[in-house]
Amino acid sequence: MTSNLNFKRHRRLRTSSSMRSIVRENHLRKEDLIYPFFVIEGEGIRNEVSSMPGVSQLSLDNIVDEMKEVHMLGIPSVIVFGVPDAKDEVGTGAYVNDGIVQQAIRLIKEEVPELLVIADTCLCEFTSHGHCGVIHDGDVDNDESLELLAKTAVSQVEAGADIIAPSNMMDGFVIAIRTALDEAGFTSIPIMSYAVKYSSAFYGPFREAADSTPQFGDRKSYQMDPANRLEAIREAESDIEEGADFLIVKPALSYLDIVRDIKDNFNAPVVAYNVSGEYAMVKAAAMNGWIDEKSLVMEKLTSMKRAGADLIITYFAKDVARWLSE
Ligand SMILES: [Zn+2]
């Protein structure tokens, strides 16, 4: 009846699982995953973050087993965030030699040397006011914050960090860090820049995990307006000029158009940060039985790959690595 109608039969390529697998365009791999974790001062601590079920702040003595597990699962890299005991106006804990992050990096490089350790380089977890730099006249002072950021990066690399990931959104942070690293002899350490970081409500649960909620105001004078697209290109462009080796887009899920823009406009590897709020929403819905967690997570991370991400920072990394091995 319909055989002489002229239309294209797209369903031919979907007839079986094998057929679908040979025409699949994008793939999620274990190598794409970067596992974020929180190291806290103290001993014997494993504090589950209430808004992020399955994610815990770990003390140093609990870090090694966690990192061995990550490595065993085939995840090649982790990104470390610190939760210090003491905070001050200028975030001293971020750049002291025995800071919590520096201690964690040393320990991991000693115990699980194959694991690539990415150091998040910022001050907000270490400042008493919770902002990402030094405060002058009620706002973050750009240039003064750069100096401390560069100092933080150098101390993290001295501790053994393989990649520096500056996240505070000060102008010039890539060149300031690149110059400081080069002067210290660390010319081969790459910079994974949080080039495009929006001022986002999706960061809520992270602030509980990293204890980094600003004590006054917000971060809108340095993080980007979610309404802007061209501004993302400008941000990434200057970071590339300043020497960034990777470009991060954060958050990921509501910003897949930006991930694609960055992929299309630059030749550097693109990293999507699947942030805490994106994780918490899935977990909450899954706990209520409203969604199929595994299918949804795989679909959403694959959509980040499809959008152009080469790498994905995700709290789901361990689950995904397990699912990929099934
Ligand atoms: Zn920060």
Side-chain angles (χ1 to χ4, degrees):
M1 272 281 281
T2 57
S3 61
N4 53 5
L5 288 180
N6 186 20
F7 59 83
K8 183 87 175 84
R9 292 196 180 274
H10 300 288
R11 292 179 60 191
R12 282 180 195 139
L13 300 185
R14 300 179 200 137
T15 49
S16 68
S17 171
S18 300
M19 185 68 81
R20 291 188 292 274
S21 81
I22 64 167
V23 297
R24 188 158 295 132
E25 298 174 36
N26 291 286
H27 300 269
L28 193 57
R29 311 170 312 150
K30 293 177 186 178
E31 288 80 0
D32 304 330
L33 305 168
I34 300 174
Y35 183 61
F37 71 99
F38 301 91
V39 58
I40 189 167
E41 277 182 83
E43 231 177 280
I45 301 174
R46 182 176 285 274
N47 285 340
E48 185 164 82
V49 181
S50 62
S51 52
M52 300 175 74
V55 173
S56 299
Q57 298 172 324
L58 301 173
S59 53
L60 284 170
D61 51 328
N62 281 324
I63 288 288
V64 175
D65 283 349
E66 176 84 355
M67 294 300 115
K68 282 185 176 158
E69 189 193 1
V70 168
H71 178 58
M72 219 185 55
L73 286 167
I75 299 165
S77 61
V78 296
I79 181 163
V80 53
F81 298 92
V83 186
D85 265 349
K87 304 188 182 214
D88 62 24
E89 285 284 300
V90 291
T92 307
Y95 40 87
V96 286
N97 184 41
D98 62 346
I100 185 64
V101 166
Q102 286 79 357
Q103 290 186 56
I105 295 170
R106 273 192 202 99
L107 188 61
I108 298 166
K109 293 314 292 186
E110 225 171 81
E111 300 288 332
V112 199
E114 307 88 347
L115 208 54
L116 280 174
V117 179
I118 305 167
D120 178 87
T121 306
C122 197
L123 300 177
C124 53
E125 295 131 48
F126 304 90
T127 51
S128 45
H129 44 72
H131 277 283
C132 301
V134 186
I135 303 293
H136 275 156
D137 303 326
D139 197 7
V140 178
D141 183 290
N142 195 87
D143 299 17
E144 209 174 299
S145 302
L146 287 182
E147 281 174 43
L148 299 182
L149 210 61
K151 229 166 122 174
T152 303
V154 170
S155 79
Q156 290 169 332
V157 175
E158 278 169 353
D162 298 291
I163 299 174
I164 288 299
S167 59
N168 81 342
M169 287 300 279
M170 292 301 112
D171 291 327
F173 69 10
V174 174
I175 197 162
I177 288 175
R178 183 72 273 160
T179 306
L181 290 179
D182 290 353
E183 280 171 0
F186 300 125
T187 50
S188 59
I189 298 294
I191 295 177
M192 181 183 281
S193 172
Y194 285 74
V196 180
K197 184 175 179 181
Y198 286 93
S199 175
S200 170
F202 284 97
Y203 303 152
F206 175 93
R207 291 179 184 168
E208 182 198 346
D211 187 23
S212 63
T213 308
Q215 299 303 301
F216 65 90
D218 51 40
R219 298 195 172 118
K220 292 192 166 85
S221 79
Y222 44 106
Q223 296 180 350
M224 289 170 50
D225 183 338
N228 294 352
R229 186 170 175 184
L230 296 177
E231 189 182 8
I233 307 284
R234 295 200 294 275
E235 280 283 358
E237 205 161 41
S238 55
D239 282 16
I240 287 290
E241 282 166 10
E242 291 176 30
D245 301 282
F246 300 79
L247 297 169
I248 300 179
V249 176
K250 182 182 180 183
L253 201 53
S254 295
Y255 297 84
L256 295 182
D257 54 332
I258 309 298
V259 172
R260 173 47 60 186
D261 282 346
I262 298 302
K263 182 67 175 179
D264 286 346
N265 280 282
F266 303 97
N267 290 322
V270 176
V271 186
Y273 197 142
N274 175 215
V275 301
S276 60
E278 299 169 26
Y279 177 85
M281 291 192 304
V282 173
K283 283 289 177 188
M287 284 161 80
N288 277 296
W290 295 339
I291 51 151
D292 173 350
E293 180 176 355
K294 178 183 165 186
S295 308
L296 193 142
V297 170
M298 295 304 273
E299 179 179 334
K300 114 182 156 138
L301 296 196
T302 303
S303 76
M304 292 169 198
K305 292 292 303 276
R306 194 193 61 231
D310 298 287
L311 295 160
I312 303 170
I313 303 174
T314 179
Y315 302 98
F316 288 111
K318 289 197 297 181
D319 299 323
V320 171
R322 277 190 207 102
W323 293 331
L324 288 171
S325 301
E326 280 170 4

